[in-house]
Amino acid sequence: MSIYYRPEKAVLGDVIPFYDDGHFKPFYLRNFRSNRDREHRDSWVMLTTDDHVHYTEHDTHIVGGTGSVIKVDGMYHMFYCTFRMHPERNYINHAVSRDLDTWTEIPEDCFPSDDAIYGARHWRDPFVFWNEEEQCWWMINAAQKKGTTTRTACVGLCKSDDLHHWRYCEPLYAPTNAQCAFECPDLFRMGDWYYLVFSSYADRFQTLYRMSRSLNGPWLTPEIDTFDTRAFYAAKTGSDGNRRMIYGWNPTRENDEHTFDPVGEHGRDWNSWDWGGSLIVHELRQMPGGELFVAPLPEVLQAFGPEKPLEMQPLSGKWEIRKDACAVQSDFRFSALQLNTISSPCRLSLDVTLTGRTREFGISVLTDEAFSEGYYLDLEPFRKRLEFRSNIRMTETGGQSFPWEIELERPLPSDTGNSYHFDILLEDTILEVYVNQKIALGTRIYDRTQGHFGLYVSNGSVSFLNIHYYTK
């Protein structure tokens, strides 16, 4: 069993959340890549789960791109997209089912963009919901609004009275700031706020959200408008009426689909990100002011166990060590401590308290005993950010790596204080980190498969408390 679900011989792409009959039933796009043959064909697949750890799957045999599923008067409706070439154009499609098992496509319901409000090329990822205020169906989708520049990304809008005939309307959201289409749009209400979720693959490459008191806008940008890193894409949300989850995929670096990687180097830290990978699910929560944040699912945290005895070995600096805690005063130097040897899958949980004007501290993953090679989760309180530094940057040959300072980072809220809680989850090549159960940072790590967890402080005084190490 894998905690972060990935189909056999394939990758998991865009997820279409759905809840029905007491169970979560998220659909996803299955892509077999080089394993594709007569037996292994790409399609929509339905997963069933109660805990987002154990899954069963069922093939729908529907071939197409992202969309949505709704249930109306005992009938299930699937809206999805298809792609045609010469000329390149996207179409929105409709299929129905009585049992989620056998689906019947409705060819006459297939339609492209209007070529008046919207461009012809991008017209996909339909999300359909009932608008109580207008008493009609709304469909939002990934589109481009016609304009004078290439910055035409928008969330398109169509309306219908019967789910079969759709009227083109002005975009729901069109900030004219991105050179793409806003993919996989999702819309829901929580409390007094409406939330619009979408993904951008140009200018920024992340899943973002906007918030409004009305479906008619204005759509406000919160202080932190993302849920995770670039390694959490095409995320959409689903709810059982009590909890709301957000489902995205952590991409692999194995396929070189952009022909950008060094020849023959597959599955390496320096490679480009692919389309598709493994399923990542966060729990979505709301702050008093309406802003959203993600937290780890308790079911996922509990899947890591049992707890192992803690091992602590100071490498540099003067550490005070207790049973499940340690502290160091390192005002003008770097101090490091080695923890347990990592056995994947595993989870490291700990609390951190800063004193004084600490500049930098962090947690290392899969580091060697010289504290040289490895991966580093570096928190800089004054910059209000958590940064991920990969193995290829942290050695004497670091100057040979990519020519930019930051690989992945997550901003911390401006009101973050001097206390932090970390949950660090590692399974195979997937690393997912939560800070204060509010900030998530996900990535892939390929080059190192053996090493230790570690703690370090640079220019500051830090106490690491309630340290617990679990293996699955």
Side-chain angles (χ1 to χ4, degrees):
M1 180 193 74
S2 174
I3 291 175
Y4 299 117
Y5 183 82
R6 177 175 176 175
E8 186 178 358
K9 296 185 178 182
V11 292
L12 177 143
D14 305 351
V15 179
I16 300 92
F18 187 60
Y19 183 82
D20 179 60
D21 196 27
H23 303 282
F24 289 96
K25 299 179 179 179
F27 296 77
Y28 75 90
L29 307 186
R30 181 175 59 189
N31 188 296
F32 281 103
R33 291 184 177 169
S34 60
N35 294 316
R36 193 178 296 114
D37 55 29
R38 290 184 179 181
E39 180 182 355
H40 302 97
R41 304 188 67 177
D42 301 345
S43 62
W44 273 50
V45 175
M46 185 182 76
L47 297 175
T48 301
T49 183
D50 294 320
D51 59 7
H52 294 93
V53 176
H54 303 84
Y55 297 90
T56 59
E57 69 170 39
H58 178 78
D59 196 343
T60 70
H61 303 288
I62 292 291
V63 178
T66 309
S68 59
V69 175
I70 59 174
K71 185 178 183 180
V72 182
D73 298 329
M75 180 71 77
Y76 299 95
H77 297 259
M78 176 191 294
F79 295 90
Y80 59 102
C81 53
T82 53
F83 312 96
R84 302 181 190 177
M85 303 298 292
H86 312 301
E88 183 178 359
R89 191 150 195 170
N90 303 165
Y91 289 77
I92 290 174
N93 301 261
H94 185 193
V96 293
S97 173
R98 286 287 182 187
D99 55 10
L100 293 177
D101 183 23
T102 302
W103 291 88
T104 301
E105 301 180 61
I106 308 176
E108 59 269 27
D109 284 2
C110 176
F111 69 101
S113 68
D114 64 339
D115 290 339
I117 302 173
Y118 300 101
R121 181 183 176 193
H122 295 284
W123 186 253
R124 58 181 184 273
D125 307 349
F127 177 80
V128 176
F129 65 97
W130 177 254
N131 185 321
E132 189 67 30
E133 295 178 4
E134 294 193 2
Q135 290 292 295
C136 70
W137 296 99
W138 276 28
M139 174 191 290
I140 59 174
N141 67 316
Q144 289 184 328
K145 179 177 171 60
K146 287 198 167 182
T148 56
T149 75
T150 60
R151 297 182 178 274
T152 56
C154 71
V155 176
L157 175 64
C158 294
K159 301 179 183 181
S160 173
D161 298 316
D162 60 5
L163 294 174
H164 297 281
H165 305 88
W166 294 90
R167 304 181 294 276
Y168 299 99
C169 304
E170 288 292 322
L172 179 74
Y173 179 66
T176 64
N177 65 346
Q179 305 181 70
C180 60
F182 288 147
E183 297 188 301
C184 303
D186 175 38
L187 194 148
F188 62 93
R189 185 172 185 174
M190 186 181 292
D192 296 328
W193 290 93
Y194 290 97
Y195 297 96
L196 176 64
V197 178
F198 58 91
S199 291
S200 173
Y201 58 90
D203 299 84
R204 298 175 71 182
F205 206 125
Q206 282 178 285
T207 298
L208 306 98
Y209 82 95
R210 300 292 181 260
M211 48 194 292
S212 175
R213 297 285 191 181
S214 166
L215 284 173
N216 298 314
W219 293 98
L220 308 178
T221 302
E223 178 187 16
I224 299 177
D225 64 344
T226 56
F227 303 103
D228 202 326
T229 65
R230 185 255 180 268
F232 181 72
Y233 192 71
K236 300 180 70 172
T237 76
S239 174
D240 62 358
N242 296 308
R243 304 166 66 192
R244 183 166 289 275
M245 316 298 181
I246 183 164
Y247 303 75
W249 44 263
N250 180 302
T252 65
R253 286 174 147 170
E254 305 163 357
N255 203 41
D256 192 21
E257 63 184 42
H258 305 292
T259 63
F260 192 72
D261 303 339
V263 176
E265 295 286 349
H266 303 298
R268 299 299 301 271
D269 286 338
W270 55 64
N271 285 356
S272 55
W273 299 101
D274 306 317
W275 185 95
S278 302
L279 175 62
I280 303 292
V281 187
H282 305 303
E283 186 164 343
L284 198 59
R285 298 178 184 173
Q286 185 184 49
M287 288 188 268
E291 297 89 347
L292 298 176
F293 65 94
V294 295
L297 272 64
E299 298 92 331
V300 171
L301 294 182
Q302 293 163 10
F304 293 90
E307 185 172 356
K308 298 293 185 180
L310 195 62
E311 302 170 6
M312 290 187 277
Q313 175 62 48
L315 300 178
S316 60
K318 296 181 180 180
W319 292 81
E320 299 177 13
I321 296 177
R322 300 195 303 272
K323 179 180 178 182
D324 62 351
C326 59
V328 66
Q329 185 171 340
S330 188
D331 292 333
F332 302 103
R333 60 171 296 169
F334 182 90
S335 297
L337 178 143
Q338 181 177 280
L339 295 174
N340 296 56
T341 300
I342 289 176
S343 176
S344 174
C346 61
R347 168 192 167 200
L348 181 69
S349 174
L350 68 154
D351 296 310
V352 181
T353 300
L354 313 183
T355 57
R357 295 177 58 83
T358 299
R359 299 295 303 181
E360 179 183 359
F361 74 91
I363 302 160
S364 67
V365 182
L366 293 170
T367 38
D368 59 10
E369 294 185 355
F371 222 74
S372 173
E373 296 189 18
Y375 305 93
Y376 294 82
L377 300 165
D378 198 71
L379 197 145
E380 300 171 289
F382 286 89
R383 291 186 175 181
K384 298 292 184 186
R385 76 177 183 190
L386 175 68
E387 179 190 354
F388 170 77
R389 299 177 180 175
S390 74
N391 181 60
I392 55 179
R393 290 184 56 204
M394 302 308 296
T395 67
E396 284 192 280
T397 58
Q400 299 175 11
S401 65
F402 43 72
W404 49 81
E405 182 183 2
I406 301 296
E407 292 173 73
L408 290 173
E409 67 175 345
R410 292 294 291 143
L412 301 177
S414 56
D415 61 354
T416 301
N418 290 326
S419 296
Y420 305 84
H421 175 77
F422 285 83
D423 281 298
I424 301 162
L425 314 181
L426 176 64
E427 182 180 56
D428 192 25
T429 61
I430 296 175
L431 178 67
E432 193 70 42
V433 182
Y434 297 92
V435 180
N436 293 344
Q437 295 204 334
K438 284 188 174 182
I439 296 294
L441 182 153
T443 189
R444 291 270 181 174
I445 52 178
Y446 285 99
D447 289 0
R448 289 190 60 81
T449 58
Q450 296 180 349
H452 302 260
F453 278 118
L455 307 173
Y456 62 92
V457 179
S458 181
N459 292 307
S461 298
V462 180
S463 296
F464 298 92
L465 311 168
N466 304 313
I467 308 171
H468 299 282
Y469 174 61
Y470 308 87
T471 59
K472 180 180 165 187

